[in-house]
Each structure stands twice: as structure tokens, then as C-alpha cells.
Amino acid sequence: MKIVTIAEIEQQLTNIKDESDPFFIKIQQDERKGVQQLIHRWQKKMEQERQLKEKFVEMKGYELKWRTQGYKYIAGVDEVGRGPLAGPVVAAAVILPEDFYLPGIDDSKKISEKKRNEYDEIIRREALAVSVAKIDAAEIDRVNIYEATKKAMLAAIASLSPQPEVLLIDAMKLETPFMVDSIIKGDAKSVSIAAASIVAKVARDRLMVELSTQFPEYGFQQNMGYGTKEHIHAIQSHGITPYHRKSFAPVKEWVMDK
């Protein structure tokens, strides 16, 4: 019998999805340390994939609940940017098709920037509708961050085409003509809200990176407008930009001192 090299085994394992595969059964008898390490890594990877699939199915529960009642256009809605000292609050609304499948999707804060960008591209390509809206710092100062967040969400919802029948929202109460399901920590419990979370986060991050080229002193490309030590030091040294929230401490204190 021809001896298969470890490199050849590694290559073949990329195409195997089940432990009952004849080749996998065969290589389990191979006592070479390198082969056993490959088997262990493959089993670990399969277990991780299984867990991601299970979580994805669980996260489709809210969508399934409404689909079984006859609703088709179910929009997930979420926002990012309530806490920063600078930049807008951004909301996104996303309507996914029934057969959407993206294991690994989660609250945007729990996944890497690389994954967020990858998922954002997939979501925008496959969604039935995607909408993003932002409320700038001046409006946040005028109406307060809570009201600004609601305005951003309502604007994103209003721009959806087709219009939604049901809204899945991450722990916010909105007055809309649509059915509303408000879910605490919804971005980790609903596929649609997680998708909106990712789209909103990617959109806002890209905007802050653009602003960083105009105002490099503040490090917006890294802190995304949040109050890091370096950001606060930059405010003390250079003052504020038109994108800073004057109603937020310590920006508020800096404005009062001037």
C-alpha cells in the first residue's frame, strides 16, 4: 500500500466533513505524530463549526416565530455610537431572506474587524433590504443621545425598501406603524439584529477613519471617537472639532472653561 504523506493527508482533510468518511477512518490508524495532530485539529475545527451552526439556528428563533405567523419582511434594527465623545450615532435596519445562512454572525462587538468587514459585504449582498442612517453631534447635543438614537433608528427603518412588517429591535421602544419585538441583548440573540449591528458598526467605523484624515491629532481611526486617554489629551491640547459632542463630559467641561 502506498504511504500517504502528511501533506497529502492535510490536503484531503480539507474536503472531509464527517468522521464516517472512509479516508478519515483509515488515517485514524496511522500512528505518525503529525497525522494524529492533523486529526486532532480537524476534530477541533469540526466541533467549532458545529457550535457556530447551533448558535446560528438558535439566533433565527425570533425570525422563525414571526415567519410562522405569516410575516415575510422582518427587519433587524440596531445602533452604534451612543457613548463616544465625537462622531454621529449610526443606526442600521436589515431585512434578511428566509434562507440566509452565515454561521459565526454575532453582536458586532464580539467579532474582529476583519470578520465584520467580511460579514458586512455578505449581508449587503444577500439582504432583501439594507438601510443606514446617522444623527450628527450637533443634533445629539440638541435633543440628547437617547432621542438621537431613536431618530437614527426611525430614519433607517423609513428608508427600507421593501418596507418591513415586523421590527426586531435591540432593547429600544419605538413608535412605528409596524409590529415591534424589543429584545434585550438582541444583537446576540437575533440574526437580523446582529446583521444590523454589523452594518451600523462598519459604516460608523469607516466614517470615523475618514474623519481621522481631516483631524489626525485625535486618533479617530483607532478610538472611533470614544474617550480614550489619548483622545482626551488631544482635546486638552488642540480643542474640539465640529464632530465633538458638546453635551458630553469631558468635552462639556472643556467648552465651559473656554
Side-chain angles (χ1 to χ4, degrees):
M1 183 183 73
K2 180 184 175 183
I3 298 177
V4 182
T5 68
I6 292 176
E8 289 171 335
I9 291 173
E10 184 175 20
Q11 179 61 38
Q12 289 210 45
L13 276 175
T14 60
N15 300 316
I16 293 175
K17 300 298 180 184
D18 196 298
E19 289 192 358
S20 63
D21 185 283
F23 180 77
F24 186 79
I25 294 172
K26 179 182 175 182
I27 64 170
Q28 283 183 300
Q29 309 305 316
D30 193 320
E31 296 180 354
R32 284 177 290 177
K33 184 178 179 181
V35 174
Q36 292 303 312
Q37 288 174 337
L38 286 177
I39 290 171
H40 177 72
R41 285 205 300 268
W42 181 90
Q43 289 173 325
K44 185 177 180 180
K45 180 184 176 186
M46 289 301 106
E47 175 60 19
Q48 289 172 338
E49 289 184 4
R50 183 190 66 77
Q51 290 177 3
L52 289 176
K53 288 177 183 177
E54 283 185 0
K55 180 173 173 60
F56 183 83
V57 171
E58 183 181 332
M59 288 178 69
K60 288 192 79 171
Y62 288 97
E63 288 79 359
L64 181 61
K65 178 183 78 172
W66 290 101
R67 289 191 193 282
T68 56
Q69 295 179 47
Y71 296 98
K72 179 180 180 182
Y73 299 121
I74 302 161
V77 186
D78 201 11
E79 52 71 33
V80 295
R82 284 203 219 184
L85 305 181
V89 60
V90 175
V94 177
I95 301 176
L96 298 173
E98 186 173 358
D99 62 352
F100 182 78
Y101 186 66
L102 185 58
I105 193 172
D106 206 334
D107 170 6
S108 63
K109 297 184 291 297
K110 295 180 180 178
I111 55 182
S112 68
E113 181 183 2
K114 181 180 178 182
K115 279 292 182 185
R116 282 197 301 268
N117 289 330
E118 178 186 326
Y119 289 174
D120 176 74
E121 187 176 332
I122 294 169
I123 292 163
R124 287 178 177 275
R125 183 174 67 240
E126 298 187 11
L128 300 178
V130 175
S131 177
V132 177
K134 63 184 178 70
I135 301 296
D136 63 22
E139 183 70 358
I140 292 169
D141 290 336
R142 191 180 73 81
V143 301
N144 77 49
I145 186 60
Y146 184 75
E147 292 301 321
T149 299
K150 290 201 293 186
K151 287 184 73 171
M153 286 182 160
L154 290 169
I157 293 163
S159 298
L160 283 174
S161 180
Q163 281 279 279
E165 299 166 305
V166 178
L167 302 175
L168 305 181
I169 302 176
D170 190 6
M172 284 283 283
K173 292 183 178 180
L174 298 179
E175 292 184 12
T176 79
F178 312 112
M179 302 285 288
V180 174
D181 200 346
S182 184
I183 306 163
I184 296 173
K185 297 189 183 299
D187 46 11
K189 296 178 180 177
S190 158
V191 169
S192 300
I193 298 178
S197 169
I198 289 167
V199 169
K201 173 71 172 163
V202 170
R204 188 180 188 281
D205 283 358
R206 288 176 179 170
L207 175 61
M208 296 309 294
V209 170
E210 289 177 15
L211 290 182
S212 73
T213 62
Q214 188 177 355
F215 300 99
E217 302 89 352
Y218 301 88
F220 290 151
Q221 76 283 4
Q222 294 175 326
N223 60 48
M224 303 304 165
Y226 284 86
T228 63
K229 182 179 179 181
E230 291 77 14
H231 185 183
I232 293 171
H233 179 72
I235 292 172
Q236 294 167 343
S237 301
H238 304 285
I240 61 172
T241 72
Y243 301 96
H244 277 92
R245 303 174 183 181
K246 296 178 182 178
S247 56
F248 278 44
V251 180
K252 183 178 182 180
E253 284 73 14
W254 185 90
V255 173
M256 292 174 65
D257 287 344
K258 298 300 175 182

